[in-house]
Amino acid sequence: MKIGVSSYSFSQLVKSGAMKQLDVVAKAKEMGFDAIEFSAFALPEGETPLSFAPRVKEECERVGIEIVNYTIFGDMLNGCNGNLEDEIERLKGEVRVAQVLGSPGIRHDATWGFPEDYTGVRSFDAVLPRLAEGCRAVTEYAEDLGIRTMVENHGFFAQDSDRVEKLVTAVDHPNFGLLVDMGNFLCVDEAPEKALGRVMPYAFHVHAKDFHVKSGNGPDPGSGWFTSRAGNYLRGAIVGHGVVPIVQCLKIMKGKGYDGVLSIEFEGMEEPLKGISLGLENLRKYVTQVYGD
């Protein structure tokens, strides 16, 4: 199994100016990753995603690291001021960026939830047809370019395993699937192993992510923590340091026949390079334990 890393893992360093976006590519290769995915771009002044993509691809080819995915924002309810057709066209533009990158996949969001002035029924099932319509239109376009599309279990509204499963089955297109983040299910208080076991048949790509968790019945632990839907406290962790049952998740993945890339997405408070490298060390050990050499 190839192990990748999301560029989001380096975002603290890029935002602080300690690294530039292109520096992330060489650093990921130096650290020993097989592949990289890009969580949007931290664009240099005057650049657009489409103009910057060839530079990213060239740098990846130079250092010899595979581009496995391109992940970007999307919202079929709120994007482009609530105009679904405009949001579909905008996302098609992002698909073209993925094509320039040579990425085999693109992950876009489904929605982050209802706008404040929404007057309809506020349930996932009520808006599922609209979400499916938007996702289907994007994936039909992407299929012609040889790119698979997916949504991720994140953003609280479209995060539960049953909701993302409903979305995939409603879209009902072989080019559309899921980016399954094993840690993100904790944000909606689902046991990662149970949720992952449910949605792995739809997985195009998988994230290894870990979290520290404290009960919402206790005091607020302070800065760096956020709350789950049920009010439990979560903080990003180095892979292997938190509560996500990563080995069990890997066993489920193997049982479902998954042999794609597994990417680390680090969101911890530790110094990023240390957090990423320790996570990679742990993850390689777990993958070898489950999948073999």
Side-chain angles (χ1 to χ4, degrees), residues 4-10 21 24 28 35-41 56 60 65-72 101 103 105 107 150 152 179 205-208 261-265:
V5 64
S6 169
S7 67
Y8 183 80
S9 304
F10 300 88
Q21 180 72 87
V24 170
I36 188 169
E37 61 179 282
F38 291 96
S39 181
F41 293 134
V56 175
C60 290
I65 194 168
E66 177 184 353
I67 298 175
V68 69
N69 209 20
Y70 177 54
T71 70
I72 46 92
L101 284 172
S103 174
R107 185 232 74 184
M150 62 202 88
E152 184 178 350
L179 191 166
H205 188 56
V206 180
H207 277 172
V261 176
L262 175 62
S263 291
I264 287 178
E265 188 173 57

Side-chain angles (χ1 to χ4, degrees), residues 146-160:
I147 297 169
R148 297 196 298 180
T149 71
M150 62 202 88
V151 295
E152 184 178 350
N153 55 308
H154 77 157
F156 289 95
F157 186 78
Q159 191 155 354
D160 315 63

